[in-house]
Amino acid sequence: MTTQPQVRVFPRAEDLFEAAAEEFIRSANAAVREKGHFDVALSGGSTPKALYCLLANKPAGTIPWKEIRFFWGDERHVPPDDPESNYRMANEAMLSLVPLDSKNVFRVPAENPDASAAAADYEQTLRHTLLTGQDGLPRFDLILLGLGPDAHTASLFPGTKALHENSRLVVSNWVEKFNTDRITLTLPVIDNAAKVMFLVTGKDKASALSAVFDNHSNPEQFPAKLVQPRNGSLLWLLGQDAAAQVQRAS
Ligand code: 6PG
């Protein structure tokens, strides 16, 4: 059963990130109460940095840092100290500043020159660390996602092979326009999450968002449209500029 997405639009970016922090904290505390830990896949790029900074500065005791297990939804094919690294961004903005348990940080081994091997390695990490259902799919409590101006999400880019991957959990995905491999969770994993939360700001995302919310657009061209949690919630936190062209799908 695919739930209807919840869409919230914020005139001020700081309100969007505060709402995102509240969602993160609520999900984390609920998961820790229920099962003793919280499994989250972080997103990369620039948008989520403000959320990570906000979370890192929350009062002690607000967030169960020691019980959170950190993963990534995707990673660039670079070492962890590279300026492009999603791990590096999250580590600098949040992870290095909070009292987490370092054994609970599961970064993608993207320093491996063989991107496919890095993806296979990370897939094993997911299989060995996360509970999987009968379908063999790990279930994240929360997956954070962003949106590119071309409506890619994670590293699921328009017209790329990974869009059609329905058995692997993690794959390397060649992205022609960047002339590089990326490593990404696949849609079966993303759609198995308990909650998926998109954070989208900036007018450069308005056209992509409009296409994603258009019932008639081609998902191949607008991959974020393919994110349809089967048994979980889908939440879009949108900046007013980014949402400017969204005619709420009827
Ligand atoms: C990445 C992200 C990617 C990102 C979008 C939006 O590795 O870059 O996973 O999917 O969320 O490209 O990026 P910005 O937040 O920088 O606009």
Side-chain angles (χ1 to χ4, degrees):
M1 177 267 292
T2 304
T3 48
Q4 272 299 318
Q6 185 192 358
V7 180
R8 296 174 62 188
V9 180
F10 298 84
R12 298 185 334 145
E14 52 266 48
D15 295 338
L16 183 153
F17 290 111
E18 190 53 51
E22 282 166 25
E23 285 293 336
F24 183 102
I25 294 166
R26 187 181 309 126
S27 297
N29 285 311
V32 169
R33 272 195 307 274
E34 185 192 321
K35 57 183 182 141
H37 58 265
F38 173 58
D39 295 324
V40 59
L42 301 178
S43 61
S46 55
T47 302
K49 187 170 181 178
L51 168 62
Y52 301 158
C53 293
L54 201 53
L55 291 171
N57 288 289
K58 287 293 179 190
T62 314
I63 299 172
W65 291 112
K66 290 250 178 292
E67 286 77 32
I68 301 180
R69 301 193 304 184
F70 294 94
F71 301 80
W72 273 260
D74 73 317
E75 186 55 277
R76 287 79 181 279
H77 189 202
V78 294
D81 58 353
D82 188 291
E84 281 294 302
S85 165
N86 288 337
Y87 162 80
R88 174 174 158 172
M89 183 275 279
N91 190 46
E92 288 178 349
M94 176 170 68
L95 304 181
S96 60
L97 307 172
V98 298
L100 53 72
D101 184 336
S102 57
K103 76 171 180 357
N104 286 342
V105 178
F106 302 92
R107 67 175 182 81
V108 179
E111 64 275 20
N112 186 330
D114 178 344
S116 300
D121 191 356
Y122 203 54
E123 178 163 311
Q124 287 313 311
T125 298
L126 298 191
R127 289 193 191 285
H128 296 151
T129 313
L130 296 168
L131 286 178
T132 53
Q134 274 95 357
D135 51 13
L137 290 172
R139 183 169 169 83
F140 282 96
D141 297 303
L142 175 63
I143 296 182
L144 297 177
L145 291 176
L147 186 78
D150 59 359
H152 81 264
T153 191
S155 284
L156 301 169
F157 285 81
T160 58
K161 207 159 53 79
L163 298 187
H164 309 289
E165 178 56 55
N166 52 31
S167 56
R168 296 283 307 281
L169 309 182
V170 185
V171 292
S172 63
N173 194 31
W174 177 256
V175 185
E176 188 59 36
K177 71 174 172 183
F178 295 149
N179 191 35
T180 185
D181 279 306
R182 291 278 190 98
I183 295 137
T184 187
L185 294 185
T186 58
L187 281 162
V189 176
I190 294 171
D191 285 346
N192 198 43
K195 178 183 284 185
V196 174
M197 179 160 74
F198 278 91
L199 306 184
V200 188
T201 61
K203 56 181 179 300
D204 62 325
K205 312 293 177 73
S207 140
L209 260 182
S210 170
V212 168
F213 281 86
D214 175 351
N215 290 332
H216 307 294
S217 62
N218 174 4
E220 271 279 321
Q221 286 177 307
F222 307 103
K225 196 172 174 178
L226 294 168
V227 173
Q228 305 279 343
R230 283 184 302 281
N231 182 17
S233 61
L234 176 57
L235 173 59
W236 290 84
L237 300 187
L238 307 178
Q240 196 161 46
D241 286 354
Q245 297 175 30
V246 173
Q247 315 294 336
R248 290 300 311 283
S250 51

Short mmCIF file of all heavy atoms in Angstrom, two decimals, residues 150 156-164 173-174 176 218-223 226:
data_model
loop_
_atom_site.label_atom_id
_atom_site.label_comp_id
_atom_site.label_asym_id
_atom_site.label_seq_id
_atom_site.Cartn_x
_atom_site.Cartn_y
_atom_site.Cartn_z
N ASP A 150 17.71 18.02 -11.89
CA ASP A 150 17.25 17.09 -12.94
C ASP A 150 16.32 16.03 -12.33
O ASP A 150 16.03 15.02 -12.97
CB ASP A 150 18.46 16.39 -13.60
CG ASP A 150 19.29 15.63 -12.57
OD1 ASP A 150 18.92 15.67 -11.37
OD2 ASP A 150 20.29 14.99 -12.95
N LEU A 156 20.38 8.19 -8.07
CA LEU A 156 19.49 7.62 -9.10
C LEU A 156 19.22 8.73 -10.11
O LEU A 156 18.32 9.55 -9.93
CB LEU A 156 18.20 7.10 -8.45
CG LEU A 156 18.40 6.02 -7.36
CD1 LEU A 156 17.11 5.78 -6.61
CD2 LEU A 156 18.95 4.73 -7.95
N PHE A 157 20.04 8.77 -11.14
CA PHE A 157 19.96 9.84 -12.14
C PHE A 157 19.11 9.43 -13.32
O PHE A 157 18.97 8.23 -13.61
CB PHE A 157 21.38 10.20 -12.61
CG PHE A 157 22.16 11.01 -11.61
CD1 PHE A 157 22.79 10.37 -10.54
CD2 PHE A 157 22.25 12.40 -11.72
CE1 PHE A 157 23.50 11.11 -9.60
CE2 PHE A 157 22.97 13.13 -10.78
CZ PHE A 157 23.60 12.49 -9.73
N PRO A 158 18.52 10.42 -13.99
CA PRO A 158 17.67 10.10 -15.15
C PRO A 158 18.39 9.20 -16.16
O PRO A 158 19.58 9.42 -16.45
CB PRO A 158 17.38 11.48 -15.78
CG PRO A 158 17.53 12.45 -14.65
CD PRO A 158 18.60 11.90 -13.77
N GLY A 159 17.67 8.19 -16.61
CA GLY A 159 18.20 7.35 -17.69
C GLY A 159 19.36 6.46 -17.30
O GLY A 159 20.03 5.87 -18.16
N THR A 160 19.63 6.31 -16.00
CA THR A 160 20.76 5.44 -15.61
C THR A 160 20.29 4.05 -15.19
O THR A 160 19.12 3.85 -14.84
CB THR A 160 21.55 6.07 -14.43
OG1 THR A 160 20.67 6.27 -13.31
CG2 THR A 160 22.18 7.39 -14.84
N LYS A 161 21.26 3.13 -15.25
CA LYS A 161 20.97 1.71 -15.02
C LYS A 161 20.34 1.43 -13.66
O LYS A 161 19.42 0.62 -13.53
CB LYS A 161 22.32 0.94 -15.12
CG LYS A 161 22.22 -0.49 -15.56
CD LYS A 161 23.55 -1.03 -16.12
CE LYS A 161 24.76 -0.84 -15.20
NZ LYS A 161 24.85 -1.80 -14.11
N ALA A 162 20.78 2.17 -12.66
CA ALA A 162 20.34 1.86 -11.28
C ALA A 162 18.84 2.02 -11.11
O ALA A 162 18.25 1.43 -10.20
CB ALA A 162 21.08 2.75 -10.29
N LEU A 163 18.19 2.79 -11.99
CA LEU A 163 16.73 3.00 -11.85
C LEU A 163 15.98 1.68 -11.95
O LEU A 163 14.88 1.54 -11.42
CB LEU A 163 16.22 3.95 -12.93
CG LEU A 163 16.75 5.37 -12.97
CD1 LEU A 163 15.98 6.19 -13.99
CD2 LEU A 163 16.68 6.03 -11.59
N HIS A 164 16.60 0.71 -12.67
CA HIS A 164 15.88 -0.56 -12.94
C HIS A 164 16.38 -1.70 -12.07
O HIS A 164 15.99 -2.85 -12.26
CB HIS A 164 16.04 -0.92 -14.42
CG HIS A 164 15.69 0.21 -15.32
ND1 HIS A 164 14.39 0.62 -15.49
CD2 HIS A 164 16.45 1.07 -16.03
CE1 HIS A 164 14.38 1.67 -16.30
NE2 HIS A 164 15.61 1.97 -16.64
N ASN A 173 26.73 3.22 -9.97
CA ASN A 173 25.87 3.72 -11.06
C ASN A 173 26.68 4.73 -11.86
O ASN A 173 27.11 5.75 -11.33
CB ASN A 173 24.63 4.39 -10.47
CG ASN A 173 23.54 4.63 -11.50
OD1 ASN A 173 23.41 3.87 -12.47
ND2 ASN A 173 22.74 5.66 -11.31
N TRP A 174 26.95 4.42 -13.13
CA TRP A 174 27.72 5.33 -13.96
C TRP A 174 26.82 6.51 -14.34
O TRP A 174 25.71 6.34 -14.86
CB TRP A 174 28.22 4.62 -15.22
CG TRP A 174 28.95 5.56 -16.15
CD1 TRP A 174 28.50 6.10 -17.32
CD2 TRP A 174 30.25 6.10 -15.95
NE1 TRP A 174 29.43 6.94 -17.85
CE2 TRP A 174 30.53 6.97 -17.04
CE3 TRP A 174 31.25 5.95 -14.95
CZ2 TRP A 174 31.73 7.66 -17.16
CZ3 TRP A 174 32.44 6.64 -15.08
CH2 TRP A 174 32.68 7.48 -16.17
N GLU A 176 26.86 9.55 -16.69
CA GLU A 176 27.58 10.07 -17.88
C GLU A 176 27.89 11.56 -17.74
O GLU A 176 28.99 12.03 -17.98
CB GLU A 176 26.73 9.81 -19.14
CG GLU A 176 27.44 10.12 -20.45
CD GLU A 176 28.72 9.31 -20.63
OE1 GLU A 176 28.74 8.13 -20.20
OE2 GLU A 176 29.70 9.87 -21.16
N ASN A 218 7.23 11.38 -17.02
CA ASN A 218 7.89 10.08 -17.15
C ASN A 218 8.90 9.88 -16.01
O ASN A 218 9.90 10.60 -15.93
CB ASN A 218 8.61 10.03 -18.50
CG ASN A 218 9.44 8.75 -18.64
OD1 ASN A 218 9.42 7.89 -17.76
ND2 ASN A 218 10.16 8.66 -19.75
N PRO A 219 8.66 8.90 -15.13
CA PRO A 219 9.56 8.71 -13.99
C PRO A 219 11.01 8.44 -14.39
O PRO A 219 11.93 8.79 -13.66
CB PRO A 219 8.98 7.51 -13.26
CG PRO A 219 7.59 7.36 -13.75
CD PRO A 219 7.56 7.93 -15.13
N GLU A 220 11.20 7.85 -15.55
CA GLU A 220 12.58 7.61 -16.02
C GLU A 220 13.36 8.92 -16.10
O GLU A 220 14.55 8.99 -15.86
CB GLU A 220 12.53 7.02 -17.45
CG GLU A 220 12.42 5.53 -17.54
CD GLU A 220 13.78 4.86 -17.37
OE1 GLU A 220 14.78 5.37 -17.87
OE2 GLU A 220 13.80 3.84 -16.67
N GLN A 221 12.62 9.96 -16.49
CA GLN A 221 13.28 11.27 -16.66
C GLN A 221 13.34 12.02 -15.33
O GLN A 221 14.13 12.94 -15.17
CB GLN A 221 12.49 12.12 -17.64
CG GLN A 221 12.63 11.68 -19.09
CD GLN A 221 11.73 12.56 -19.98
OE1 GLN A 221 10.54 12.68 -19.71
NE2 GLN A 221 12.32 13.17 -20.97
N PHE A 222 12.48 11.63 -14.39
CA PHE A 222 12.39 12.36 -13.11
C PHE A 222 12.41 11.33 -11.97
O PHE A 222 11.38 11.06 -11.34
CB PHE A 222 11.11 13.21 -13.08
CG PHE A 222 10.98 14.11 -14.28
CD1 PHE A 222 10.12 13.80 -15.32
CD2 PHE A 222 11.77 15.26 -14.37
CE1 PHE A 222 10.04 14.61 -16.45
CE2 PHE A 222 11.69 16.08 -15.50
CZ PHE A 222 10.82 15.76 -16.53
N PRO A 223 13.57 10.74 -11.73
CA PRO A 223 13.67 9.54 -10.86
C PRO A 223 13.09 9.68 -9.46
O PRO A 223 12.59 8.70 -8.91
CB PRO A 223 15.17 9.26 -10.81
CG PRO A 223 15.70 9.81 -12.10
CD PRO A 223 14.88 11.04 -12.36
N LEU A 226 9.98 7.99 -8.63
CA LEU A 226 9.93 6.53 -8.43
C LEU A 226 9.92 6.16 -6.94
O LEU A 226 9.69 5.02 -6.58
CB LEU A 226 11.14 5.87 -9.11
CG LEU A 226 11.18 5.98 -10.64
CD1 LEU A 226 12.55 5.57 -11.17
CD2 LEU A 226 10.08 5.10 -11.25
#
